[in-house]
Amino acid sequence: KAGVTQTPRYLIKTRGQQVTLSCSPISGHRSVSWYQQTPGQGLQFLFEYFSETQRNKGNFPGRFSGRQFSNSRSEMNVSTLELGDSALYLCASSDRGGGGANVLTFGAGSRLTVL
Amino acid sequence: AQSVTQPDIHITVSEGASLELRCNYSYGATPYLFWYVQSPGQGLQLLLKYFSGDTLVQGIKGFEAEFKRSQSSFNLRKPSVHWSDAAEYFCAVGVAGNNRKLIWGLGTSLAVNP
């Protein structure tokens, strides 16, 4: 069974630009969660989608958005990039929605550098 | 408020030595508890989980963890560390209810000396 696939793995952007990251979950998984990982803040929850609906959202500004398609693939978008958005963005999928009791399978992440 | 504390930011052990990584949580009910490991340049992988039942749980790669309700702890242990265990270890607490989510510790970085 293929794992969680995130693309691109690495990207460099400049301040003010926007970026779109993609995540393909494990086949059959309908829940996709996104996290931002930085050395100082650890793992910060961005949002969770289940069957194309956003089920939960973390404390990030509106510049961070996401969506999920009917095939469970998900994208997240960050507009008007800031230097502080430089981070590893992790996607995780689960066969159930709900967050609390779910076992998550993570992708390898997308490393975003904002210059 | 719910929180997870991993008191040790960085730990160094010698190969073959035993290991214990600490995790303390603050949550009003019995939580779902997880340990994940992240190798350099990789995503996170589940090591083990506790939902209910036996408070000593076994995981992959020879790891185990013990849930102690009285101490609000879920410490991870391994009797003999291998060089390949060098990684970042994250403890997480699953919160149930309407605002169900995972709350993460900041992680413990493990270095293994040969």
Side-chain angles (χ1 to χ4, degrees):
Chain A
K1 196 183 240 188
V4 178
T5 303
Q6 292 189 244
T7 56
R9 287 293 311 277
Y10 302 92
L11 65 167
I12 299 174
K13 295 286 188 178
T14 56
R15 280 181 299 172
Q17 288 186 311
Q18 74 163 12
V19 66
T20 299
L21 309 178
S22 178
C23 173
S24 294
I26 289 176
S27 178
H29 284 194
R30 292 190 291 163
S31 170
V32 172
S33 300
W34 287 91
Y35 289 87
Q36 182 195 66
Q37 185 179 23
T38 57
Q41 300 295 318
L43 281 155
Q44 300 290 312
F45 173 72
L46 281 156
F47 24 66
E48 181 201 358
Y49 288 87
F50 182 81
S51 293
E52 302 179 67
T53 300
Q54 187 180 89
R55 294 282 290 265
N56 211 341
K57 189 176 187 303
N59 295 323
F60 277 83
R63 300 186 296 108
F64 292 81
S65 63
R67 59 178 174 169
Q68 186 179 33
F69 302 95
S70 59
N71 62 358
S72 293
R73 190 177 70 85
S74 178
E75 288 181 348
M76 68 162 283
N77 184 275
V78 187
S79 63
T80 318
L81 283 166
E82 302 176 358
L83 295 179
D85 297 332
S86 294
L88 180 66
Y89 289 87
L90 291 166
C91 166
S93 75
S94 173
D95 59 356
R96 294 183 294 170
N102 288 356
V103 172
L104 300 179
T105 302
F106 284 83
S110 293
R111 172 76 63 185
L112 171 64
T113 301
V114 182
L115 302 177
Chain B
Q2 304 107 353
S3 65
V4 176
T5 301
Q6 294 181 244
D8 304 304
I9 297 173
H10 186 85
I11 285 181
T12 300
V13 299
S14 297
E15 191 169 17
S18 63
L19 172 70
E20 182 170 32
L21 302 183
R22 296 182 291 163
C23 174
N24 295 96
Y25 65 89
S26 173
Y27 181 55
T30 300
Y32 306 111
L33 297 162
F34 305 83
W35 275 99
Y36 284 82
V37 61
Q38 184 178 31
S39 298
Q42 300 297 316
L44 282 74
Q45 180 184 21
L46 178 72
L47 279 176
L48 46 77
K49 65 184 185 294
Y50 172 80
F51 286 179
S52 65
D54 192 348
T55 57
L56 183 64
V57 294
Q58 303 297 319
I60 62 172
K61 304 184 181 187
F63 285 92
E64 67 177 26
E66 186 171 12
F67 169 53
K68 293 186 176 180
R69 185 190 308 274
S70 62
Q71 298 177 20
S72 298
S73 69
F74 189 55
N75 294 348
L76 182 71
R77 300 193 294 251
K78 186 170 185 178
S80 178
V81 171
H82 188 263
W83 64 266
S84 60
D85 293 325
E88 190 90 15
Y89 292 81
F90 293 91
C91 179
V93 169
V95 173
N98 292 332
N99 193 29
R100 49 197 174 202
K101 59 185 177 183
L102 282 172
I103 302 168
W104 295 84
L106 291 180
T108 297
S109 177
L110 174 66
V112 180
N113 287 333

